[in-house]
Amino acid sequence: MSSLVPRLTHLPEWKQDAVIAVGTWVLGLLIYLSGMQVLLNGRDDTPLWIRLTELTVLCGLGMLRRKVPLGLLCALVVVGVDVALGTSLPIILVFTDFLYATTLYGSRRVSRVMIGVAALGTLAVVGLALLMSSQWRTAILAAFSLLPFLITPVWWAATVRQQRDIADTERANAVQLATIGELDRRASVAGERSKMARDLHDVIAGHLSAIAIQSEAALSMAEADPKLSRTVLESVRENSVSALEEMRAMIGLLRADPSTGDPEIEPTAPPRLAELSKLVESARASGLAVEVVSTVDETPPLPAAVDLTAYRIAQEALTNAAKHAAGGRAVLGIRAHGGILTVEVRNDLRPGSGSGDDGGTGLGLLTMRERAAAVGGVLAAGPSGGDWLVRAELPLEGS
């Protein structure tokens, strides 16, 4: 029986109604043949063929049980005829299915009306029983014997409807949560990709651009000044090693499994302003005269995120200066005052040098602005008094 119900629910609605109609007709036939159709004391003198005709018509109307309120109104006509002939149990049993279907498949308003009708109908049945019977005890017993046929189907359908609505709501919530989770996942992936793009840009545009510039300088001065050429080549080697180390660290982080932890991957400390001298020496080896004005050594330790951001901005700005103002002069200023860390790089603005970013693509300025914004700071870059100025203001509190 438990496997039969799921099979019925998979059938089309009209087939389900047909199965219910045939089943109730067979049940009613058995009740009539057994003689148990009389609800109240007395005899049923109505011919069997009339009872079966009533039953057949009412079961046939069962195909309209989902058509609210048409099915219920048509069923009421048959029930009225049955009451006039003498109320019989099979007709009442089939009618309860119409009450159930109307409450379950009707609109919310119809469902609430059916609950009210069941309550008022209960009082009406008891009142009619008292009026039509000379013995009040017999009337009350008869009334209460009819009440389950009125209250039970409506209560049952209301409960099923409530559970169905709850299930629909939970299903809709689950779909919404899945959609929100997918959007969050995509946003996280986009954020990680943006972060990886910035880091790769810093490594490639910073170290490798310096290597390219310094290699060109070394080739041009190989015979004129061997000592200076050697110094430039040493800077090239240092930049190459640094680039390889940072690339290896990034690849290691990408390959690491955060759930288990890979002991073979050694964490690499991110560069900080304490290593600023390497940037300055690399820029000078590229032919750029760099002057440094820094007061960060006199301040308390900087927040790690601000320290790394300041280093990356200085690295990108000096790399662009060496690329677009080779052989010129640059001033790197770093100071902390009033809870703000200011990083300035001012270099000569050569004619036709463009905006000072990496090759005119704008990626250099874009990554610097993104890094500044990531820690709550701002960055501005542009011509200033005949020079090119990159200025970043990074908050030291709350980073």
Side-chain angles (χ1 to χ4, degrees):
M1 181 62 70
S2 60
S3 61
L4 179 61
V5 175
R7 292 178 183 178
L8 289 177
T9 58
H10 293 157
L11 295 176
E13 291 182 353
W14 70 272
K15 289 186 177 181
Q16 295 180 31
D17 294 340
V19 170
I20 294 173
V22 172
T24 53
W25 188 89
V26 172
L27 177 62
L29 176 62
L30 294 176
I31 294 176
Y32 280 129
L33 293 177
S34 65
M36 296 187 298
Q37 71 271 21
V38 179
L39 289 176
L40 301 177
N41 294 331
R43 297 176 57 187
D44 184 11
D45 297 329
T46 304
L48 180 60
W49 68 270
I50 295 179
R51 292 297 191 186
L52 292 180
T53 301
E54 286 183 281
L55 180 64
T56 302
V57 173
L58 190 59
C59 290
L61 291 174
M63 301 299 295
L64 301 176
R65 59 195 293 269
R66 300 176 192 265
K67 304 295 183 181
V68 179
L70 177 61
L72 180 63
L73 295 177
C74 293
L76 280 173
V77 175
V78 179
V79 172
V81 173
D82 185 73
V83 170
L85 296 175
T87 307
S88 61
L89 178 60
I91 298 299
I92 297 300
L93 285 176
V94 178
F95 182 69
T96 58
D97 181 62
F98 284 88
L99 296 176
Y100 174 86
T102 302
T103 306
L104 180 60
Y105 301 118
S107 64
R108 293 181 181 273
R109 182 177 180 180
V110 170
S111 180
R112 289 193 293 267
V113 169
M114 290 300 298
I115 295 175
V117 168
L120 293 176
T122 301
L123 298 177
V125 169
V126 175
L128 288 175
L130 291 174
L131 291 176
M132 297 176 61
S133 177
S134 58
Q135 297 181 0
W136 64 272
R137 292 184 178 181
T138 304
I140 292 179
L141 290 176
F144 277 98
S145 66
L146 293 174
L147 291 183
F149 298 105
L150 180 62
I151 297 177
T152 301
V154 175
W155 166 80
W156 190 1
T159 302
V160 173
R161 184 189 184 103
Q162 182 183 22
Q163 296 300 321
R164 185 187 64 184
D165 292 344
I166 292 175
D168 292 340
T169 302
E170 292 296 331
R171 193 177 298 111
N173 290 339
V175 172
Q176 292 179 357
L177 290 176
T179 303
I180 294 173
E182 178 64 18
L183 294 176
D184 289 343
R185 186 190 66 82
R186 292 181 182 179
S188 299
V189 171
E192 289 299 322
R193 291 181 64 181
S194 178
K195 182 179 179 181
M196 289 170 57
R198 289 198 302 266
D199 292 338
L200 285 172
H201 177 272
D202 290 336
V203 173
I204 295 174
H207 292 298
L208 299 186
S209 296
I211 291 172
I213 296 172
Q214 293 166 3
S215 300
E216 183 179 358
L219 290 174
S220 64
M221 64 180 64
E223 297 180 358
D225 192 345
K227 184 177 180 181
L228 182 58
S229 176
R230 180 180 179 83
T231 302
V232 173
L233 290 176
E234 289 176 351
S235 180
V236 169
R237 181 183 182 280
E238 184 177 350
N239 276 303
S240 301
V241 172
S242 298
L244 289 174
E245 289 179 350
E246 293 193 33
M247 289 292 291
R248 178 178 176 274
M250 291 177 59
I251 294 174
L253 288 175
L254 291 175
R255 295 180 60 183
D257 186 355
S259 61
T260 60
D262 192 344
E264 297 181 359
I265 300 175
E266 299 179 358
T268 302
R272 313 186 76 160
L273 288 178
E275 303 173 23
L276 196 62
S277 58
K278 295 181 180 180
L279 290 180
V280 175
E281 294 300 326
S282 176
R284 288 172 178 169
S286 302
L288 187 69
V290 182
E291 177 185 352
V292 181
V293 180
S294 175
T295 61
V296 293
D297 294 338
E298 304 172 2
T299 62
L302 301 175
V306 174
D307 205 348
L308 172 61
T309 300
Y311 178 91
R312 290 302 191 190
I313 291 175
Q315 179 187 34
E316 180 65 31
L318 288 177
T319 299
N320 290 339
K323 183 187 301 182
H324 298 286
R329 178 175 177 274
V331 178
L332 171 61
I334 302 177
R335 65 180 182 275
H337 179 72
I340 300 293
L341 178 67
T342 303
V343 180
E344 288 186 354
V345 177
R346 181 185 295 271
N347 61 272
D348 299 332
L349 184 60
R350 302 292 179 86
S353 62
S355 62
D357 58 62
D358 51 337
T361 64
L363 290 179
L365 295 179
L366 178 61
T367 55
M368 286 191 288
R369 288 193 178 99
E370 288 179 347
R371 285 193 175 277
V375 296
V378 293
L379 183 139
S384 176
D387 297 330
W388 182 265
L389 176 64
V390 176
R391 177 185 175 89
E393 295 182 355
L394 311 175
L396 296 176
E397 298 179 1
S399 300

